[in-house]
Amino acid sequence: MDLQSAWSVAAKDFRIYRKKINVIRASIAYPLIVGVLFPLILNYSIQKQPTAVAVALAPSLMDSFSIWFIIGAIIIPTAIASYSLVGEKLQKSLEPLLATPMTDGDILLGKSISGLLIPVASVYAGAIIFMALCDHFTQGVLGYLYYPNWHMGVILLVVPLASLMSVEINIIISARMTDARSAQQLGTLLILPFVGLYLAADLKIFPFTNTNLLILAGALALIDIAFFFVSKATFQREEILTRWK
Amino acid sequence: MSITIDVENLTKSYGTFTAVDNVSLHVDEGEVFGFLGPNGAGKTTTVRMLACLISKTSGRATVGGYDIGNSSDQPKIRGMIGFLPENVGLYEELSAYDNLDFYGRYYKLSIQRRREQIEYFLKMLGLWDKREDAAGTFSKGMKQKLAITRALIHDPKLLFLDEPTANLDPEASKTVRDFILELKKEKRTIFLNTHLLDEAERVCDQVAILKTKLIATGSPEDLRHSQSTRKVRVQLELADDAVAGAVKTLGFQIAEKTSNSLVIVVNNPEKENPEILKAIQTAGGRIQFVTEVGSSLEDVYLKLVRGAE
Ligand SMILES: Nc1ncnc2c1ncn2[C@@H]1O[C@H](COP(=O)(O)OP(=O)(O)O)[C@@H](O)[C@H]1O
Ligand SMILES: [Mg+2]
């Protein structure tokens, strides 16, 4: 694998994403919703409460928002994926690319980089705004700065790993699918396991303790590595060129 | 190392359907090789095999001495060729310049070298002023030119062009064709897929006619001579019996006669025409025009392609 080749693919993708209103919208809307709206909800919820209630409520509310950082890490790549490999297939731009010495690994790594950086940057930006505003709203009540804390640290460790998994699954799906719509629809199903995870957390089967999140991070790291090989195996040049309609 | 292509019994099947059947051919260095055939003949399938984009079913082929069936040779083949696919496959959102720059960067050309190459080709094709426009806003002809430039960015000595003038208006076709002739002057070897006869005739040194199987190969000249009887139409002020008689006396057959023209069957018009014309004049005929009829590559082509059905 050649990092420079992979990077040239990623850099090209970034230039394309810059022109895609949906990508820009998703990557700006997300930090605004999570970073601004959630702290406002928090503020609204604790404002009228007696201090004792607010002190108890604020941390658990803030922690319960954290799943949204992981959900963002999964959803944003799906929004971008339709301009990645699917976009190349639609424009038939893979054929000239495959006629160069570029390897499957170079292409897939390039696509992973370009698929990963925007979501992660967007989620991190959202998290920074979120933490700053939450601290602003709760410092008076709690008497200390709630963020940064280890919980958020572990969440932000899970984020790139979850994003990478999402990117890889989208790549695998779009390499196999022969039309854009089914690729996108299947991509959205990705969210299901994380809804399951959310329910598991809610029902206290798998609460989002720091230890459990670290276990999740480890599992995701293994899944990411495995999926890179799966994506290489599913990236069949000949089929991609001859079966896409 | 010489930039030649050698193909032996190359076959490609999709399931039970054979798209390319036992094709053998040879392309010499510096040659423009026209791969001619109607739609669905297997031209695209063949170049895709030669560019190592799809696998072969059987047979063998070497490109620049490398074996298309050998996985360690494949990157070397891809590295030395320029490939223009049937569908241009440009990044529509990116500017013309960025489309080319991406490939230049991939080939690790310096920023300066990229700029030089892009400027050289885009100026040659009249696209330099449009370099900042998104490729998606380009006309078909402009896209095709841009895609050809993309195939040339790393200065390959061997080019595969899959129907570079298909669907272009006559003016754009001519620019592209003239451009191919420029590339030929630069001693590049060019494998040109086309379903257009006059294109093959105008730019190619060698031609192969394909219809799943190879039906003929040779220079356009050879092919023309090989298949059809050649005829000459002589238009006169008056084509009377004396004139016709003089032609017959020389031993030539008259295929068609009107009041002011004769169509004469010839074997070797370059040698025989002067004799015929001299005899006509001696017999009092006043010659207005002399044209060759029915001996175009088109006739040969149609005859061969229909014959293969
Ligand atoms: N992926 C494929 N699966 C099945 N048949 C195919 C495939 N690709 C091409 N063909 C068939 O192979 C034949 C040759 O196609 P092609 O090489 O594209 O011809 P040309 O480029 O000369 O028009 C056609 O009949 C076409 O339908
Ligand atoms: Mg074709």
Side-chain angles (χ1 to χ4, degrees):
Chain A
M1 234 173 337
D2 176 351
L3 261 181
Q4 217 180 323
S5 303
W7 182 252
S8 68
V9 172
K12 183 267 300 171
D13 281 350
F14 286 133
R15 279 173 187 272
I16 292 176
Y17 297 161
R18 267 202 334 232
K19 310 248 161 90
K20 289 294 183 188
I21 191 73
N22 283 346
V23 174
I24 296 169
R25 212 182 274 152
S27 50
I28 291 176
Y30 178 84
L32 288 183
I33 293 172
V34 170
V36 179
L37 190 63
F38 286 2
L40 287 177
I41 293 173
L42 167 79
N43 190 35
Y44 180 81
S45 317
I46 59 173
Q47 229 173 18
K48 300 192 177 104
Q49 308 288 347
T51 310
V53 178
V55 168
L57 184 63
S60 74
L61 251 179
M62 285 188 276
D63 285 355
S64 73
F65 285 136
S66 50
I67 181 77
W68 288 97
F69 295 98
I70 299 176
I71 289 180
I74 310 258
I75 288 186
I76 304 172
T78 306
I80 297 176
S82 48
Y83 304 105
S84 183
L85 208 52
V86 174
E88 299 249 10
K89 281 173 128 186
L90 283 175
Q91 300 197 346
K92 306 203 188 291
S93 51
L94 270 180
E95 184 163 3
L97 195 56
L98 293 176
T100 69
M102 185 147 345
T103 64
D104 297 351
D106 298 343
I107 295 174
L108 293 170
L109 185 60
K111 291 283 167 195
S112 300
I113 295 171
S114 67
L116 190 65
L117 287 193
I118 292 175
V120 171
S122 175
V123 172
Y124 278 18
I128 288 168
I129 302 171
F130 175 85
M131 290 191 285
L133 284 181
C134 284
D135 278 347
H136 172 76
F137 290 137
T138 58
Q139 192 183 6
V141 181
L142 296 178
Y144 64 99
L145 290 176
Y146 190 69
Y147 290 119
N149 60 15
W150 278 112
H151 181 69
M152 189 54 108
V154 192
I155 290 278
L156 294 186
L157 172 70
V158 171
V159 163
L161 296 166
S163 265
L164 183 56
M165 185 193 77
S166 173
V167 169
E168 287 174 342
I169 291 181
N170 275 296
I171 289 176
I172 293 167
I173 291 171
S174 44
R176 296 306 294 180
M177 288 295 121
T178 54
D179 71 285
R181 186 174 298 183
S182 42
Q184 226 163 357
Q185 282 167 347
L186 262 177
T188 342
L189 291 182
L190 249 180
I191 202 67
L192 285 181
F194 285 85
V195 172
L197 209 59
Y198 178 73
L199 290 176
D202 217 40
L203 299 173
K204 306 275 183 291
I205 301 167
F206 187 83
F208 281 170
T209 60
N210 290 353
T211 321
N212 278 348
L213 284 170
L214 279 174
I215 293 170
L216 180 64
L220 284 172
L222 291 178
I223 291 174
D224 287 343
I225 293 167
F227 278 3
F228 187 75
F229 290 102
V230 175
S231 70
K232 266 181 92 166
T234 42
F235 192 83
Q236 296 290 333
R237 290 169 169 246
E238 181 155 356
E239 292 210 359
I240 286 175
L241 290 181
T242 57
R243 284 195 51 230
W244 180 260
K245 299 287 174 272
Chain B
M1 182 198 55
S2 75
I3 310 293
T4 58
I5 300 173
D6 269 295
V7 176
E8 264 175 59
N9 305 322
L10 195 62
T11 297
K12 176 73 185 180
S13 305
Y14 293 106
T16 55
F17 174 78
T18 303
V20 174
D21 192 5
N22 252 300
V23 166
S24 301
L25 52 85
H26 173 82
V27 180
D28 255 332
E29 184 159 3
E31 187 171 276
V32 179
F33 186 88
F35 205 42
L36 196 58
N39 287 332
K43 304 181 294 294
T44 298
T45 306
T46 306
V47 284
R48 279 176 160 180
M49 283 191 278
L50 294 179
C52 308
L53 285 165
I54 60 176
S55 60
K56 62 186 167 71
T57 304
S58 64
R60 50 179 298 278
T62 59
V63 174
Y66 296 113
D67 184 349
I68 65 164
N70 179 325
S71 59
S72 64
D73 278 4
Q74 288 171 352
K76 292 174 189 149
I77 294 176
R78 292 199 198 104
M80 95 184 163
I81 62 168
F83 184 80
L84 172 73
E86 190 165 30
N87 301 295
V88 287
L90 295 165
Y91 298 107
E92 305 248 314
E93 305 83 358
L94 294 185
S95 68
Y97 194 95
D98 285 344
N99 263 286
L100 302 176
D101 196 59
F102 163 52
Y103 275 80
R105 256 176 94 163
Y106 166 69
Y107 283 110
K108 301 193 171 57
L109 308 181
S110 70
I111 189 161
Q112 208 176 333
R113 177 82 183 126
R114 263 138 57 195
R115 160 110 195 169
E116 278 167 18
Q117 284 285 88
I118 295 172
E119 185 170 347
Y120 174 75
F121 287 119
L122 288 189
K123 279 192 170 159
M124 205 160 157
L125 289 165
L127 288 179
W128 181 243
D129 293 338
K130 304 256 184 207
R131 64 188 178 280
E132 293 306 332
D133 293 1
T137 66
F138 277 18
S139 71
K140 259 193 178 130
M142 289 155 75
K143 283 182 181 170
Q144 196 67 268
K145 291 175 197 171
L146 187 57
I148 295 178
T149 304
R150 182 188 58 201
L152 285 163
I153 198 82
H154 56 301
D155 229 347
K157 294 286 166 273
L158 173 59
L159 275 171
F160 290 100
L161 306 177
D162 196 353
E163 309 226 23
T165 64
N167 306 318
L168 300 193
D169 63 54
E171 196 179 333
S173 297
K174 182 165 167 20
T175 319
V176 169
R177 221 170 274 143
D178 289 346
F179 186 63
I180 295 172
L181 290 171
E182 281 305 310
L183 297 174
K184 179 180 171 174
K185 278 188 207 147
E186 294 173 359
K187 301 266 178 287
R188 298 183 206 261
T189 309
I190 301 175
F191 192 102
L192 174 72
N193 275 2
T194 179
H195 68 271
L196 302 171
L197 268 156
D198 65 320
E199 178 163 293
E201 202 161 9
R202 273 187 243 181
V203 303
C204 300
D205 304 304
Q206 291 288 313
V207 177
I209 301 178
L210 179 78
K211 195 167 175 203
T212 310
K213 291 178 199 292
L214 212 56
I215 29 189
T217 43
S219 67
E221 196 83 326
D222 290 344
L223 286 180
R224 228 186 353 235
H225 290 197
S226 69
Q227 290 292 324
S228 71
T229 50
R230 302 178 71 186
K231 293 172 194 154
V232 174
R233 179 188 299 278
V234 182
Q235 189 183 313
L236 302 136
E237 246 174 39
L238 178 71
D240 56 19
D241 287 344
V243 170
V247 173
K248 281 183 192 153
T249 313
L250 279 179
F252 291 104
Q253 193 192 333
I254 293 179
E256 194 186 316
K257 179 176 178 298
T258 68
S259 62
N260 68 343
S261 74
L262 297 174
V263 176
I264 304 158
V265 179
V266 289
N267 292 318
N268 188 349
E270 289 79 4
K271 279 227 171 77
E272 294 160 354
N273 284 353
E275 280 179 55
I276 295 171
L277 298 183
K278 198 172 156 200
I280 292 176
Q281 275 178 327
T282 314
R286 287 166 62 82
I287 299 165
Q288 291 173 325
F289 293 103
V290 180
T291 46
E292 187 166 24
V293 283
S295 58
S296 66
L297 192 56
E298 185 163 359
D299 289 329
V300 180
Y301 174 77
L302 290 175
K303 200 164 152 185
L304 287 170
V305 168
R306 291 198 184 122
E309 266 164 15

